[in-house]
Amino acid sequence: LTAINSLSAAAGACMASFVLLPTIGLSGTFVVATTVLCGLVFYLWRHWGSACFAIACIAVSVFAGRQPYNYAIPSGAELVQRWESGYGWIEILERSFDGVQLLRQDVQYGLGADLDIDWERRQGELPLILHPQPRSVAFLGVGTGISVSSIVDHAEIERIDAVELIPDVVQALPYFEDANLKFYEDQRCTVHTADARHFMQTTRESYDVIVADLFTPWHSRTGYLYTVEHFENCQARLRSGGIFCQWLPLWQLGNEEFEVIADSFRSVFPRCTVWWGLCEPEKPLLCLIGADAPLRVSAAKWDSPNAPSVPPQSADPFLSTPARLSHLYVGEWSKRYNCRLNTDNHPLVEFTCPGSDLGNAKLRGQQVIDYFVTVLARLPQEGVFFSNEAKPVSIVARLRWQHKQLQTRVKRGRLKPDAPRFIDQEGG
């Protein structure tokens, strides 16, 4: 009986995930499950009462399954498309007042939008600029594909592997073609539907640059993308001189979780530098870039035929010159004594993040400003060398600018109109 029960449970899970949900959806699955269970009740207890009970349950499930799910659509938005699969609902919504499209999973988790194109594309562009000559690139996580679209303007790249866990997210990419520049049609690019960690463990390819997207740290098993073992797998896939870029959503982390991830990252990579992706108080975004030697930024790369260019849709001022790029550099994360590491056997981040959320200790608002002043602004500066031709701003001016940006609430994560002039005043 125990064996039959175990095999039946496994068969039921596989049937629901791979057959019922993709074919007849969530509502139909409820109807089928209710009908089967109630039929068993009537078969085992052949009584008119059980028959009435079974018929009532089936009728309720059919009625509930026919009800529209309009309650899940926020006000001011319209449903463009919805898929149901073993990964839940994948929806594309369009805001009626500005036409912005959003991609979300299971009603509440946002996978991206074509709103903040500038800093989303910066997530892919920054590590490509910091590598002297990227030929092969891997992106772990696709979403709307805006970050991956940064490869379109880099003619020197020969191979791109984009890895996305959810097949329906890949199916939604054409809905964001204006923002992601149809990168999936580029002959150099291959989109893989796979788990990012498993892909890095099994691929035989090696890369100059690996870019890891934002991963929600407290989701079950997602925290394993921040472990020492995963970082080691990625390091093993890097070519000589390659860099690994891990983006971190500070608004989902407390200072304890950030330090555990940074220490785990630093335990694998000899050099670990910290860069801002978005220097904004309510939605701060930064990345850890791991390498085996200090990074070097020279103006020669901007002057070469394959110089990084600002896409036409972007108004990002930090991609145009190395001087403005230097504003995003924070410092080098040093190896700390007696630090705790996030490992497969001890996944600290996955279990401590909910506590930081409950205690309102996430790095956003005043918390991230205080953490910048007390920790980030005091990091060593030896991890990146800017050549004299790059004309980088001074350390003091750069940190002062970062502090001011954190203190200023920026609408939609974009820079204020006077930001480029402010940069020039600071020596950029």
Side-chain angles (χ1 to χ4, degrees):
L1 288 176
T2 301
I4 292 173
N5 181 69
S6 300
L7 292 173
S8 300
C14 293
M15 179 71 68
S17 298
F18 298 108
V19 179
L20 295 178
L21 287 172
T23 55
I24 62 176
L26 183 63
S27 302
T29 301
F30 275 126
V31 172
V32 170
T34 304
T35 303
V36 171
L37 293 175
C38 290
L40 289 174
V41 170
F42 178 70
Y43 176 78
L44 296 175
W45 185 32
R46 298 179 183 180
H47 188 272
W48 283 110
S50 64
C52 294
F53 173 76
I55 294 173
C57 289
I58 295 173
V60 169
S61 66
V62 172
F63 175 77
R66 287 187 163 186
Q67 300 309 303
Y69 293 100
N70 294 333
Y71 69 90
I73 302 175
S75 59
E78 297 180 356
L79 179 65
V80 177
Q81 188 59 267
R82 171 185 287 154
W83 294 272
E84 293 186 58
S85 69
Y87 291 93
W89 283 351
I90 304 297
E91 298 173 317
I92 298 175
L93 304 177
E94 182 175 319
R95 298 198 312 206
S96 56
F97 57 91
D98 60 3
V100 169
Q101 288 191 328
L102 305 93
L103 179 66
R104 68 175 185 172
Q105 178 188 12
D106 288 338
V107 180
Q108 52 82 33
Y109 182 61
L111 295 171
D114 56 2
L115 172 65
D116 299 310
I117 296 178
D118 301 342
W119 66 266
E120 286 195 42
R121 188 169 284 125
R122 187 187 303 166
Q123 291 178 233
E125 190 74 25
L126 177 61
L128 296 179
I129 290 177
L130 293 176
H131 191 280
Q133 193 70 16
R135 299 289 187 184
S136 181
V137 182
F139 285 87
L140 308 183
V142 175
T144 57
I146 299 175
S147 298
V148 187
S149 68
S150 59
I151 56 96
V152 173
D153 293 306
H154 286 264
E156 75 275 19
I157 298 178
E158 300 171 354
R159 176 184 177 86
I160 305 104
D161 286 324
V163 185
E164 172 57 47
L165 175 66
I166 304 176
D168 303 271
V169 171
V170 177
Q171 185 180 350
L173 287 176
Y175 287 89
F176 299 88
E177 61 181 21
D178 291 338
N180 61 36
L181 308 180
K182 297 184 180 181
F183 76 91
Y184 45 87
E185 295 183 356
D186 194 308
Q187 295 182 351
R188 302 169 297 168
C189 183
T190 303
V191 180
H192 303 267
T193 302
D195 175 81
R197 176 159 175 162
H198 183 260
F199 179 85
M200 296 309 295
Q201 287 176 326
T202 57
T203 183
R204 297 183 179 180
E205 297 292 331
S206 57
Y207 303 96
D208 296 307
V209 177
I210 300 176
V211 184
D213 202 354
L214 309 175
F215 304 123
T216 306
W218 62 77
H219 279 186
S220 178
R221 312 294 291 182
T222 307
Y224 287 87
L225 292 170
Y226 294 122
T227 62
V228 173
E229 290 81 358
H230 174 61
F231 294 148
E232 289 174 342
N233 290 334
C234 293
Q235 185 192 43
R237 301 274 74 83
L238 287 176
R239 295 175 178 174
S240 177
I243 63 175
F244 175 68
C245 173
Q246 176 65 68
W247 287 99
L248 298 175
L250 293 189
W251 67 92
Q252 295 178 348
L253 299 167
N255 63 325
E256 178 184 1
E257 291 78 43
F258 170 74
E259 291 173 355
V260 168
I261 294 175
D263 290 333
S264 303
F265 194 91
R266 178 63 179 79
S267 70
V268 174
F269 293 94
R271 311 305 293 242
C272 171
T273 54
V274 183
W275 297 76
W276 286 111
L278 184 61
C279 200
E280 200 269 334
E282 292 304 318
K283 206 171 184 180
L285 173 70
L286 56 72
C287 71
L288 306 175
I289 293 186
D292 54 7
L295 302 176
R296 298 184 179 276
V297 178
S298 172
K301 184 168 184 177
W302 272 257
D303 299 332
S304 67
N306 293 327
S309 59
V310 180
Q313 296 88 342
S314 175
D316 193 338
F318 297 109
L319 305 181
S320 55
T321 66
R324 291 179 175 177
L325 175 68
S326 68
H327 282 77
L328 301 179
Y329 178 52
V330 181
E332 182 177 19
W333 190 265
S334 302
K335 189 174 183 179
R336 302 191 306 159
Y337 174 74
N338 200 25
C339 58
R340 297 192 301 166
L341 302 181
N342 195 48
T343 64
D344 287 353
N345 290 335
H346 298 87
L348 302 174
V349 171
E350 181 177 336
F351 292 97
T352 59
C353 267
S356 296
D357 182 48
L358 183 64
N360 196 27
K362 294 180 293 185
L363 290 172
R364 62 187 305 175
Q366 188 60 43
Q367 285 92 335
V368 73
I369 296 175
D370 295 340
Y371 191 74
F372 174 81
V373 173
T374 58
V375 178
L376 297 180
R378 301 174 184 269
L379 293 179
Q381 301 293 314
E382 292 80 11
V384 180
F385 292 104
F386 292 90
S387 64
N388 293 331
E389 313 88 69
K391 299 179 180 179
V393 296
S394 66
I395 297 175
V396 174
R398 166 162 47 87
L399 296 177
R400 184 186 297 123
W401 178 85
Q402 294 175 9
H403 186 238
K404 181 171 182 177
Q405 290 299 306
L406 286 174
Q407 291 179 315
T408 304
R409 188 179 183 88
V410 184
K411 292 183 179 180
R412 293 184 177 179
R414 287 188 171 87
L415 294 171
K416 296 171 64 177
D418 61 341
R421 293 195 297 275
F422 179 79
I423 295 173
D424 291 336
Q425 292 170 1
E426 293 290 355

